[in-house]
């Protein structure tokens, strides 16, 4: 049992060693109403609300790069997601991830884990 605990602690240290947190800053003035695509993120401006989603499809990880109507569409196998990032069509098994973000008067700062 003690060996198992040491193995878990060692794995946790390795995980910390190979992961880190980064930030990505977006100029609010560059955003349009609707979905805005960045390499890792999709920012939805919906009237006075802002939502941020990971652009990584929850099916097999393709980057989501387009819309159809009011929905995001994965180019690989056609999953559709609504404005809350919830899958509404196709094989995607769960909601898009939503990274932590802060909004100031002129910026959106997204914090995400890499590694
Ligand atoms: Fe997006 Fe398969 S990877 S639907």
């Amino acid at each position: 049992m003690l060996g198992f605990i040491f193995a878990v602690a060692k794995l946790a240290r390795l995980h910390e060693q190979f992961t880190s947190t980064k930030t990505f800053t977006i100029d609010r003035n560059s955003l349009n109403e609707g979905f805005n695509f960045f390499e890792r993120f999709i920012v939805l401006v919906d009237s006075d609300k802002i939502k941020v989603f990971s652009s990584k499809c929850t099916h097999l990880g393709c980057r989501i790069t387009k819309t159809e109507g009011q929905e995001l569409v994965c180019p690989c196998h056609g999953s559709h997601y609504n404005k809350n990032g919830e899958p509404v069509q196709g094989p995607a098994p769960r909601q898009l991830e939503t990274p932590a973000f802060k909004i100031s008067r002129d910026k959106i700062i997204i914090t995400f884990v890499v590694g």
Side-chain angles (χ1 to χ4, degrees):
M1 181 65 179
L2 198 55
F4 175 74
I5 292 170
F6 284 125
V8 169
K10 188 173 182 177
L11 282 173
R13 279 194 305 274
L14 281 172
H15 179 70
E16 279 177 20
Q17 188 177 346
F18 292 106
T19 59
S20 64
T21 301
K22 291 193 173 190
T23 60
F24 179 70
T25 302
I26 299 169
D27 178 358
R28 275 186 79 166
N29 294 324
S30 71
L31 298 173
N32 297 310
E33 181 76 14
F35 293 109
N36 296 265
F37 293 89
F38 299 91
E39 187 180 337
R40 288 175 169 257
F41 305 104
I42 299 165
V43 178
L44 171 62
V45 179
D46 189 11
S47 300
D48 59 340
K49 294 181 195 146
I50 292 179
K51 296 178 182 177
V52 179
F53 305 107
S54 165
S55 63
K56 189 174 177 183
C57 180
T58 61
H59 179 224
L60 295 177
C62 288
R63 291 289 172 193
I64 298 167
T65 55
K66 62 181 185 173
T67 60
E68 276 182 26
Q70 300 287 307
E71 295 176 351
L72 294 164
V73 179
C74 179
C76 291
H77 311 102
S79 287
H80 286 225
Y81 297 87
N82 65 18
K83 287 180 166 184
N84 293 319
E86 299 161 336
V88 293
Q89 181 183 320
R94 62 187 173 282
Q95 192 167 355
L96 294 172
E97 289 186 19
T98 53
F101 67 97
K102 291 181 187 169
I103 302 174
S104 69
R105 199 163 54 88
D106 58 349
K107 292 179 197 163
I108 297 174
I109 301 170
I110 301 169
T111 304
F112 60 101
V113 175
V114 292

